[in-house]
Amino acid sequence: MARTPPGKQPQDPGTPDALPRHARAGKAVTIRDVAKVAGVSPITVSRALNHPELVTPETLERVRAVVSRTGYVPNEIAGSLRSRRSGIVAAVFPQITNSMFVDTIQTLTDCLRQEGYQVLLGLSSYEEREDELIAGIVGRRPEGIYLTGVAHAPETRRRLIASHIPVVEAWDLSPSPIDMLVGFSHEKAGEAMARHLLAKGHREIGLVWGNDLRAGVRRQGLLSVLAENGIHEVPTSLEPAPGMFQRGREGLAELLGSGARVSAVACSSDVLAQGVIAEARDRGIRIPEDIAVMGFGDFDFAAHTSPSLTTIAIEKALIGRLAAQALLARIQGREVPERIVDVGFRLVERGST
Amino acid sequence: MARTPPGKQPQDPGTPDALPRHARAGKAVTIRDVAKVAGVSPITVSRALNHPELVTPETLERVRAVVSRTGYVPNEIAGSLRSRRSGIVAAVFPQITNSMFVDTIQTLTDCLRQEGYQVLLGLSSYEEREDELIAGIVGRRPEGIYLTGVAHAPETRRRLIASHIPVVEAWDLSPSPIDMLVGFSHEKAGEAMARHLLAKGHREIGLVWGNDLRAGVRRQGLLSVLAENGIHEVPTSLEPAPGMFQRGREGLAELLGSGARVSAVACSSDVLAQGVIAEARDRGIRIPEDIAVMGFGDFDFAAHTSPSLTTIAIEKALIGRLAAQALLARIQGREVPERIVDVGFRLVERGST
DNA sequence: CTGTTAGCGCTTTCAT
DNA sequence: ATGAAAGCGCTAACAG
């Protein structure tokens, strides 16, 4: 289609440093073209590019010259097929607009790039079927797979285990990960939120909460501690995921509209908390004097925008780095120090909640 | 290494519905294994999976049964090599933590997934050499490439053009894109900011500005309009990219510390603007009464957190969608409606800046 | 509708 | 240090 018509200039096919004719007609330059022009064998070209130390300086230079002159770009697909190393690591996140995951993605990608790996990005939320996404990914034979969360369909687990590809699950804890794990306990995080609010004297606590899986676990933790302390009525506004800002506004409105009295509102994410705070301001409610607000997770974001928001801070970049290190260790045949890493979380109190 | 020792059970190699022995020793199941067990030829298996309509229902079912029983996952690397279709689209962004790009990535990925394409994510900022990243990408023979921005090294341009891979540049405008383009004019955006501030009566305008490429163009536009209106002194605090929140705080502090009098502060991004607003609040400066603040780009974020921030809104998801459509059209051999699309921007006034 | 043949472009293996 | 042969696993092209 976009092919240029064959050149009209006479071209001696025997001239060693001329491009083979077909290479000038739109087809990609192959290693054999380079080899022919450089007057060596294909394997020598391969070595010159991948293991220059195995080649005489003169040969090396000659090959390099031809490579740059012809614009040869090695076909990594062919290389991958033969060498069984795809140079790819897949990373699956529910969604990227969540702002919760971007730091992890950034760090993960950076760390992997440094070792020559490219990242295949999978976003699973808009397709219900994570399994389908993963099936597609496994077919590309990545050398490692990063997964968000530990809840996967049994067939997904089987598929991944059968694939023998190193897997890191992240952002959560599990006694029986597929392979490796870097995360923290959402239950404990929820408990920590409850304990903090109780310690601050709050007994009338409302929830503005996203209904995703991990948030649900945090809520369990939170509610169980409240229950232990005799608090069983916890007015809750459950927001459809992804828990964005506007949902936070609506959440507080719903709580207050229901007639519930609350001295504190706990949110499943800092974005929701921002919405709650905005709505409160609009209603002349002072934060944290009238209502204390507590968030979760996206500490950087929260720190920036709400000096009065106490939150649970997650080291998102650390998760990415540790995940990358774990995968790289396995890929490169090194010992993995710990198969399961709990990075924990910190409660960051600000604005005397 | 992880190989299980060969099974001890007697296994008649001739039995058609038995797995070939080597398949049970840790090696991946291939199409030939499936073919043998199903009693058909490899190509029939291939067709059953990729073009089921070309195969009898009975054959189809038999193949599918064997596939699911053996856990066969087609090796897309081999398929890609032979068919010359990698099923991959590469997307390059400066960085993902910028929050400016996430909506675009999300939409782009979603649109491409729907057509069966996976996204290879490239983050170019932490490696100075975009060209190296792109060289690595081109070697993987993606069927399309999304690039952020229009400023690329000449050799990158050459490489991309020579590759014949469809390319969309985005987030910017250029009279001579590599191939296709979806963006908007940063110069005009800057001009719009200036005109708005002037219309509001501001003559003492300060800048808190990131020093990345596109921001620089916006600044040019802004300054030129100010100059046309006789304003030549524009106190500026230039922040190293990425322009994060904290930089905004520091930026305002620097402006005020320098003794400049400003009635309005224009920022190169909404995140910076948030920082400026936070710093102002801490200093008891009212926004927008004492100082008006203007931002750029991340409208959703800004809308959520600062009702008093006027900003230039960019339809980030639209950019992703259009870019995906353009690439898909080219990949699928359809006509591309417009090679260059200007999505424009809107000035969103809030809080009577 | 199904099969045979060949080969995508590279790198492994073994030889020199 | 370099090369020849073989083949990774799949699908295009052509039979039948």
Side-chain angles (χ1 to χ4, degrees):
Chain A
M1 270 185 167
R3 270 174 207 166
T4 42
K8 285 297 199 302
Q9 303 88 345
Q11 179 74 39
D12 178 9
T15 307
D17 56 357
L19 265 165
R21 194 178 276 129
H22 73 267
R24 304 160 73 251
K27 290 197 67 171
V29 182
T30 74
I31 201 172
R32 291 173 56 173
D33 299 329
V34 175
K36 244 170 247 169
V37 176
V40 296
S41 74
I43 185 60
T44 301
V45 176
S46 171
R47 284 198 270 250
L49 296 173
N50 302 319
H51 308 281
E53 73 280 6
L54 298 179
V55 154
T56 3
E58 302 88 73
T59 319
L60 183 56
E61 175 151 9
R62 201 141 40 88
V63 170
R64 281 194 174 148
V66 176
V67 164
S68 95
R69 192 148 51 79
T70 55
Y72 169 62
V73 179
N75 185 329
E76 307 284 355
I77 294 177
S80 298
L81 177 59
R82 182 65 243 232
S83 68
R84 296 161 171 287
R85 291 188 293 100
S86 65
I88 280 180
V89 168
V92 179
F93 298 87
Q95 67 200 147
I96 208 176
T97 46
N98 202 318
S99 89
M100 206 71 136
F101 301 120
V102 291
D103 290 317
T104 306
I105 300 180
Q106 179 84 47
T107 313
L108 184 75
T109 307
D110 291 340
C111 293
L112 291 170
R113 263 303 289 161
Q114 270 173 340
E115 299 292 318
Y117 287 86
Q118 305 262 164
V119 168
L120 198 67
L121 180 68
L123 266 25
S124 57
S125 86
Y126 281 107
E127 54 197 307
E128 292 310 301
R129 49 275 129 82
E130 184 193 43
D131 189 59
E132 236 175 82
L133 179 65
I134 300 222
I137 285 172
V138 170
R140 300 224 141 85
R141 303 293 191 262
E143 296 182 53
I145 300 181
Y146 169 104
L147 294 179
T148 303
V150 297
H152 311 287
E155 63 211 277
T156 303
R157 273 186 82 97
R158 271 199 299 277
R159 203 192 287 285
L160 287 169
I161 291 170
S163 75
H164 292 147
I165 300 170
V167 171
V168 176
E169 289 163 283
W171 271 96
D172 207 341
L173 249 36
S174 156
S176 53
I178 296 174
D179 183 1
M180 298 176 287
L181 183 61
V182 181
F184 59 93
S185 164
H186 288 262
E187 188 166 12
K188 283 188 188 163
E191 292 168 6
M193 290 178 80
R195 275 196 290 271
H196 176 75
L197 291 171
L198 289 169
K200 287 291 172 179
H202 295 289
R203 311 272 311 166
E204 294 174 321
I205 297 168
L207 263 49
V208 172
W209 216 262
N211 69 355
D212 79 85
L213 229 63
R214 284 173 292 280
V217 177
R218 296 199 294 278
R219 189 156 70 106
Q220 300 279 314
L222 193 154
L223 291 178
S224 75
V225 169
L226 292 187
E228 284 168 18
N229 286 268
I231 302 176
H232 301 282
E233 300 276 298
V234 183
T236 299
S237 170
L238 223 51
E239 314 300 329
M244 295 312 275
F245 183 89
Q246 190 56 31
R247 300 287 174 202
R249 295 192 85 115
E250 296 166 11
L252 181 61
E254 189 187 327
L255 278 189
L256 299 179
S258 75
R261 284 204 342 187
V262 294
S263 68
V265 173
C267 304
S268 63
S269 81
D270 282 348
V271 182
L272 282 177
Q274 300 294 337
V276 166
I277 289 171
E279 183 66 21
R281 276 200 193 125
D282 284 3
R283 292 171 177 243
I285 298 168
R286 290 167 305 162
I287 310 285
E289 294 83 357
D290 301 329
I291 295 183
V293 179
M294 199 168 174
F296 171 86
D298 197 359
F299 171 68
D300 302 316
F301 173 64
H304 296 158
T305 47
S306 286
S308 53
L309 178 65
T310 290
T311 192
I312 302 277
I314 307 299
E315 294 220 52
K316 301 181 288 296
L318 178 63
I319 292 178
R321 181 145 20 91
L322 291 177
Q325 283 168 1
L327 288 174
L328 286 167
R330 284 289 283 291
I331 292 171
Q332 296 166 352
R334 283 182 279 119
E335 202 62 37
V336 177
E338 305 166 85
R339 216 168 58 92
I340 298 184
V341 179
D342 182 349
V343 296
F345 53 83
R346 336 194 284 292
L347 194 146
V348 181
E349 186 176 349
R350 272 182 280 103
S352 62
T353 302
Chain B
M1 270 183 166
R3 265 169 214 173
T4 43
K8 285 299 198 307
Q9 306 88 344
Q11 178 77 33
D12 178 9
T15 307
D17 55 357
L19 266 166
R21 193 176 277 127
H22 73 266
R24 304 159 72 254
K27 290 195 67 169
V29 182
T30 74
I31 200 171
R32 290 172 58 173
D33 300 328
V34 175
K36 244 170 248 168
V37 176
V40 294
S41 74
I43 188 66
T44 300
V45 175
S46 172
R47 284 199 270 251
L49 296 173
N50 301 319
H51 307 282
E53 72 280 6
L54 298 179
V55 153
T56 3
E58 300 88 74
T59 318
L60 183 56
E61 175 150 9
R62 200 140 42 88
V63 170
R64 282 195 173 145
V66 175
V67 164
S68 96
R69 191 147 51 77
T70 54
Y72 169 60
V73 179
N75 185 329
E76 307 283 356
I77 294 177
S80 299
L81 177 59
R82 179 66 242 230
S83 69
R84 296 160 170 290
R85 291 187 293 101
S86 65
I88 280 180
V89 168
V92 179
F93 298 86
Q95 67 201 144
I96 208 176
T97 46
N98 200 319
S99 90
M100 206 68 135
F101 301 119
V102 291
D103 289 317
T104 305
I105 300 180
Q106 178 85 45
T107 313
L108 184 77
T109 308
D110 291 340
C111 293
L112 292 170
R113 262 303 288 161
Q114 269 172 342
E115 299 293 316
Y117 288 86
Q118 305 262 167
V119 168
L120 198 67
L121 180 68
L123 267 26
S124 56
S125 87
Y126 282 107
E127 54 197 304
E128 293 309 301
R129 51 274 128 85
E130 184 193 43
D131 189 59
E132 233 175 85
L133 179 64
I134 300 220
I137 285 172
V138 170
R140 300 224 141 83
R141 302 294 190 261
E143 295 182 54
I145 299 181
Y146 169 103
L147 294 179
T148 302
V150 297
H152 312 287
E155 62 210 277
T156 303
R157 273 186 83 96
R158 271 199 299 278
R159 203 193 287 285
L160 288 169
I161 291 169
S163 75
H164 291 144
I165 300 170
V167 170
V168 176
E169 289 164 281
W171 271 96
D172 207 339
L173 249 35
S174 157
S176 54
I178 296 175
D179 183 0
M180 298 176 287
L181 184 61
V182 180
F184 58 93
S185 164
H186 289 261
E187 187 165 13
K188 284 188 186 164
E191 292 169 7
M193 290 178 78
R195 275 196 291 271
H196 175 75
L197 291 171
L198 289 169
K200 287 290 171 181
H202 296 288
R203 310 272 312 165
E204 295 173 322
I205 297 168
L207 263 48
V208 173
W209 216 262
N211 70 354
D212 78 86
L213 228 62
R214 284 173 292 281
V217 177
R218 296 199 293 279
R219 188 156 71 108
Q220 300 280 313
L222 193 154
L223 291 178
S224 75
V225 168
L226 292 186
E228 283 168 17
N229 285 269
I231 301 175
H232 302 280
E233 299 276 300
V234 182
T236 299
S237 169
L238 222 52
E239 315 300 329
M244 296 312 274
F245 183 90
Q246 190 56 31
R247 299 287 173 200
R249 296 193 84 113
E250 294 165 12
L252 181 62
E254 189 188 326
L255 280 189
L256 298 178
S258 74
R261 281 204 344 187
V262 294
S263 69
V265 173
C267 305
S268 63
S269 80
D270 282 349
V271 181
L272 282 177
Q274 300 293 339
V276 167
I277 289 172
E279 182 68 19
R281 277 201 191 122
D282 283 4
R283 291 168 177 246
I285 299 169
R286 289 168 307 160
I287 309 287
E289 294 82 358
D290 300 331
I291 294 183
V293 179
M294 201 169 171
F296 171 87
D298 198 1
F299 171 68
D300 302 317
F301 173 64
H304 296 156
T305 46
S306 287
S308 52
L309 177 65
T310 290
T311 191
I312 302 275
I314 306 298
E315 296 221 51
K316 303 181 287 296
L318 179 63
I319 293 178
R321 181 144 21 90
L322 291 176
Q325 282 167 3
L327 289 174
L328 287 168
R330 284 290 283 289
I331 292 171
Q332 297 165 351
R334 284 182 279 119
E335 202 61 37
V336 177
E338 306 165 85
R339 216 168 59 90
I340 298 184
V341 179
D342 181 351
V343 297
F345 52 83
R346 339 191 283 294
L347 194 146
V348 181
E349 187 177 350
R350 271 182 280 100
S352 62
T353 303

PDB file of all heavy atoms in Angstrom, chain A residues 195-207:
ATOM      1  N   ARG A 195      -9.717   2.809  65.429  1.00  0.00           N
ATOM      2  CA  ARG A 195      -9.065   3.093  66.710  1.00  0.00           C
ATOM      3  C   ARG A 195      -8.687   4.558  66.837  1.00  0.00           C
ATOM      4  O   ARG A 195      -8.804   5.156  67.896  1.00  0.00           O
ATOM      5  CB  ARG A 195      -7.843   2.194  66.890  1.00  0.00           C
ATOM      6  CG  ARG A 195      -8.224   0.829  67.467  1.00  0.00           C
ATOM      7  CD  ARG A 195      -7.011   0.104  67.997  1.00  0.00           C
ATOM      8  NE  ARG A 195      -6.155  -0.321  66.898  1.00  0.00           N
ATOM      9  CZ  ARG A 195      -6.289  -1.495  66.278  1.00  0.00           C
ATOM     10  NH1 ARG A 195      -7.224  -2.355  66.665  1.00  0.00           N
ATOM     11  NH2 ARG A 195      -5.494  -1.804  65.296  1.00  0.00           N
ATOM     12  N   HIS A 196      -8.232   5.112  65.740  1.00  0.00           N
ATOM     13  CA  HIS A 196      -7.877   6.531  65.788  1.00  0.00           C
ATOM     14  C   HIS A 196      -9.091   7.393  66.120  1.00  0.00           C
ATOM     15  O   HIS A 196      -9.030   8.284  66.962  1.00  0.00           O
ATOM     16  CB  HIS A 196      -7.272   6.976  64.456  1.00  0.00           C
ATOM     17  CG  HIS A 196      -6.984   8.442  64.396  1.00  0.00           C
ATOM     18  ND1 HIS A 196      -5.905   9.007  65.063  1.00  0.00           N
ATOM     19  CD2 HIS A 196      -7.624   9.470  63.808  1.00  0.00           C
ATOM     20  CE1 HIS A 196      -5.904  10.305  64.862  1.00  0.00           C
ATOM     21  NE2 HIS A 196      -6.940  10.622  64.100  1.00  0.00           N
ATOM     22  N   LEU A 197     -10.179   7.131  65.439  1.00  0.00           N
ATOM     23  CA  LEU A 197     -11.388   7.938  65.664  1.00  0.00           C
ATOM     24  C   LEU A 197     -11.882   7.774  67.101  1.00  0.00           C
ATOM     25  O   LEU A 197     -12.269   8.754  67.754  1.00  0.00           O
ATOM     26  CB  LEU A 197     -12.477   7.544  64.663  1.00  0.00           C
ATOM     27  CG  LEU A 197     -12.166   7.933  63.208  1.00  0.00           C
ATOM     28  CD1 LEU A 197     -13.173   7.324  62.251  1.00  0.00           C
ATOM     29  CD2 LEU A 197     -12.115   9.459  63.056  1.00  0.00           C
ATOM     30  N   LEU A 198     -11.833   6.548  67.591  1.00  0.00           N
ATOM     31  CA  LEU A 198     -12.248   6.307  68.970  1.00  0.00           C
ATOM     32  C   LEU A 198     -11.341   7.055  69.936  1.00  0.00           C
ATOM     33  O   LEU A 198     -11.799   7.688  70.892  1.00  0.00           O
ATOM     34  CB  LEU A 198     -12.219   4.813  69.277  1.00  0.00           C
ATOM     35  CG  LEU A 198     -13.310   3.971  68.583  1.00  0.00           C
ATOM     36  CD1 LEU A 198     -13.025   2.486  68.746  1.00  0.00           C
ATOM     37  CD2 LEU A 198     -14.684   4.327  69.126  1.00  0.00           C
ATOM     38  N   ALA A 199     -10.064   6.986  69.669  1.00  0.00           N
ATOM     39  CA  ALA A 199      -9.098   7.661  70.550  1.00  0.00           C
ATOM     40  C   ALA A 199      -9.353   9.161  70.583  1.00  0.00           C
ATOM     41  O   ALA A 199      -9.095   9.832  71.596  1.00  0.00           O
ATOM     42  CB  ALA A 199      -7.673   7.383  70.068  1.00  0.00           C
ATOM     43  N   LYS A 200      -9.864   9.673  69.496  1.00  0.00           N
ATOM     44  CA  LYS A 200     -10.159  11.107  69.438  1.00  0.00           C
ATOM     45  C   LYS A 200     -11.509  11.422  70.070  1.00  0.00           C
ATOM     46  O   LYS A 200     -11.991  12.556  70.014  1.00  0.00           O
ATOM     47  CB  LYS A 200     -10.152  11.571  67.978  1.00  0.00           C
ATOM     48  CG  LYS A 200      -8.757  11.653  67.391  1.00  0.00           C
ATOM     49  CD  LYS A 200      -7.978  12.797  68.029  1.00  0.00           C
ATOM     50  CE  LYS A 200      -6.521  12.766  67.603  1.00  0.00           C
ATOM     51  NZ  LYS A 200      -5.774  13.893  68.220  1.00  0.00           N
ATOM     52  N   GLY A 201     -12.151  10.394  70.593  1.00  0.00           N
ATOM     53  CA  GLY A 201     -13.396  10.624  71.305  1.00  0.00           C
ATOM     54  C   GLY A 201     -14.644  10.537  70.454  1.00  0.00           C
ATOM     55  O   GLY A 201     -15.749  10.807  70.932  1.00  0.00           O
ATOM     56  N   HIS A 202     -14.475  10.161  69.214  1.00  0.00           N
ATOM     57  CA  HIS A 202     -15.669  10.086  68.373  1.00  0.00           C
ATOM     58  C   HIS A 202     -16.451   8.809  68.659  1.00  0.00           C
ATOM     59  O   HIS A 202     -15.881   7.729  68.789  1.00  0.00           O
ATOM     60  CB  HIS A 202     -15.262  10.121  66.893  1.00  0.00           C
ATOM     61  CG  HIS A 202     -14.630  11.424  66.491  1.00  0.00           C
ATOM     62  ND1 HIS A 202     -15.335  12.584  66.374  1.00  0.00           N
ATOM     63  CD2 HIS A 202     -13.335  11.745  66.214  1.00  0.00           C
ATOM     64  CE1 HIS A 202     -14.513  13.575  66.020  1.00  0.00           C
ATOM     65  NE2 HIS A 202     -13.284  13.075  65.933  1.00  0.00           N
ATOM     66  N   ARG A 203     -17.749   8.953  68.756  1.00  0.00           N
ATOM     67  CA  ARG A 203     -18.628   7.784  68.924  1.00  0.00           C
ATOM     68  C   ARG A 203     -19.703   7.774  67.835  1.00  0.00           C
ATOM     69  O   ARG A 203     -20.354   6.764  67.624  1.00  0.00           O
ATOM     70  CB  ARG A 203     -19.320   7.807  70.297  1.00  0.00           C
ATOM     71  CG  ARG A 203     -18.416   8.048  71.499  1.00  0.00           C
ATOM     72  CD  ARG A 203     -17.829   6.794  72.076  1.00  0.00           C
ATOM     73  NE  ARG A 203     -18.792   5.740  72.324  1.00  0.00           N
ATOM     74  CZ  ARG A 203     -18.439   4.475  72.565  1.00  0.00           C
ATOM     75  NH1 ARG A 203     -17.148   4.152  72.583  1.00  0.00           N
ATOM     76  NH2 ARG A 203     -19.361   3.565  72.772  1.00  0.00           N
ATOM     77  N   GLU A 204     -19.883   8.916  67.220  1.00  0.00           N
ATOM     78  CA  GLU A 204     -20.885   8.986  66.144  1.00  0.00           C
ATOM     79  C   GLU A 204     -20.147   9.128  64.823  1.00  0.00           C
ATOM     80  O   GLU A 204     -19.764  10.214  64.406  1.00  0.00           O
ATOM     81  CB  GLU A 204     -21.819  10.174  66.386  1.00  0.00           C
ATOM     82  CG  GLU A 204     -22.646   9.967  67.644  1.00  0.00           C
ATOM     83  CD  GLU A 204     -23.481  11.192  67.992  1.00  0.00           C
ATOM     84  OE1 GLU A 204     -22.959  12.320  67.822  1.00  0.00           O
ATOM     85  OE2 GLU A 204     -24.616  11.014  68.432  1.00  0.00           O
ATOM     86  N   ILE A 205     -19.962   8.004  64.227  1.00  0.00           N
ATOM     87  CA  ILE A 205     -19.076   7.949  63.063  1.00  0.00           C
ATOM     88  C   ILE A 205     -19.845   7.541  61.819  1.00  0.00           C
ATOM     89  O   ILE A 205     -20.587   6.554  61.840  1.00  0.00           O
ATOM     90  CB  ILE A 205     -17.934   6.935  63.325  1.00  0.00           C
ATOM     91  CG1 ILE A 205     -17.089   7.435  64.516  1.00  0.00           C
ATOM     92  CG2 ILE A 205     -17.075   6.751  62.079  1.00  0.00           C
ATOM     93  CD1 ILE A 205     -16.117   6.412  65.054  1.00  0.00           C
ATOM     94  N   GLY A 206     -19.704   8.325  60.793  1.00  0.00           N
ATOM     95  CA  GLY A 206     -20.351   7.984  59.526  1.00  0.00           C
ATOM     96  C   GLY A 206     -19.317   7.509  58.510  1.00  0.00           C
ATOM     97  O   GLY A 206     -18.127   7.828  58.622  1.00  0.00           O
ATOM     98  N   LEU A 207     -19.790   6.755  57.525  1.00  0.00           N
ATOM     99  CA  LEU A 207     -18.887   6.236  56.500  1.00  0.00           C
ATOM    100  C   LEU A 207     -19.318   6.725  55.119  1.00  0.00           C
ATOM    101  O   LEU A 207     -20.491   6.666  54.765  1.00  0.00           O
ATOM    102  CB  LEU A 207     -18.914   4.700  56.501  1.00  0.00           C
ATOM    103  CG  LEU A 207     -17.806   3.954  57.264  1.00  0.00           C
ATOM    104  CD1 LEU A 207     -17.639   4.514  58.659  1.00  0.00           C
ATOM    105  CD2 LEU A 207     -18.125   2.465  57.324  1.00  0.00           C
TER     106      LEU A 207
END
